[in-house]
Amino acid sequence: MGVSGCGKSTIGVLTAERLGLPYAEGDDFHPTANIQKMAAGIPLTDQDRAPWLDIVAAWLGDHRVSGGVVACSALRRAYRDRLRAGAPEAYFVHLAAGRDELLRRMAGRHGHFMPTILLDSQLATLEPLEPDEPGVTLDALAPPSVLVNEAIDAWRADHR
């Protein structure tokens, strides 16, 4: 989880590969209207996000037995609660980075619908994980291999 540019997709794919689990890109579940809105620089509302979160939650729920990894912004506590309603075992890995680094990463991406002008609205929306939420916050500036190890180690420690 985290704002655009934090590395959700990269770390998600690598974690899924390492664990031999299916991977889903949360952005692929957005309806066309959401993609068009974001591409136009218009932040999504809670109403826009609700059906998308339900689809992501359903994917997670469908993979409860086998396990799975999905990259999803899950910016607010209410969004994470909604995901856990469909997948109570969901564990969140928040990839955190400073605005300047996130902006640099977003500006360097090609072919992604999310414009850099939406970064500030995402940062304003972001509610970091609370102590009672299942998950861990990691420094997104660490190398991907380190982040994958830290994410897996944190999950294992929380599931002993």
Side-chain angles (χ1 to χ4, degrees):
M1 66 162 275
V3 300
S4 188
C6 72
K8 294 182 298 291
S9 298
T10 299
I11 302 309
V13 166
L14 293 172
T15 301
E17 287 175 358
R18 169 104 174 267
L19 296 173
L21 296 173
Y23 170 78
E25 176 58 54
D27 286 343
D28 292 345
F29 297 123
H30 273 297
T32 303
N34 282 8
I35 300 286
Q36 290 172 342
K37 195 171 183 179
M38 289 183 283
I42 302 166
L44 297 180
T45 65
D46 287 353
Q47 185 176 1
D48 295 327
R49 286 185 179 99
W52 168 68
L53 289 166
D54 291 341
I55 293 167
V56 173
W59 188 91
L60 286 168
D62 289 346
H63 292 85
R64 284 175 80 174
V65 174
S66 65
V69 177
V70 64
C72 176
S73 55
L75 298 175
R76 288 193 175 153
R77 169 74 186 248
Y79 305 162
R80 296 186 295 273
D81 289 346
R82 191 173 191 124
L83 291 170
R84 277 196 306 275
E89 301 85 8
Y91 186 83
F92 298 95
V93 177
H94 176 195
L95 299 173
R99 182 186 183 281
D100 290 344
E101 176 63 14
L102 294 165
L103 192 58
R104 184 191 69 74
R105 290 178 179 193
M106 289 177 73
R109 292 192 304 197
H110 301 288
H112 196 280
F113 63 85
M114 179 68 83
T116 57
I117 60 171
L118 287 181
L119 178 59
D120 288 332
S121 71
Q122 283 205 325
L123 289 169
T125 301
L126 177 64
E127 296 173 357
L129 288 172
E130 295 180 26
D132 66 326
E133 290 185 274
V136 62
T137 299
L138 302 177
D139 181 353
L141 300 181
S145 61
V146 170
L147 290 169
V148 170
N149 287 338
E150 290 178 345
I152 292 170
D153 290 348
W155 181 84
R156 286 182 175 150
D158 284 350
H159 288 84
R160 286 185 185 168

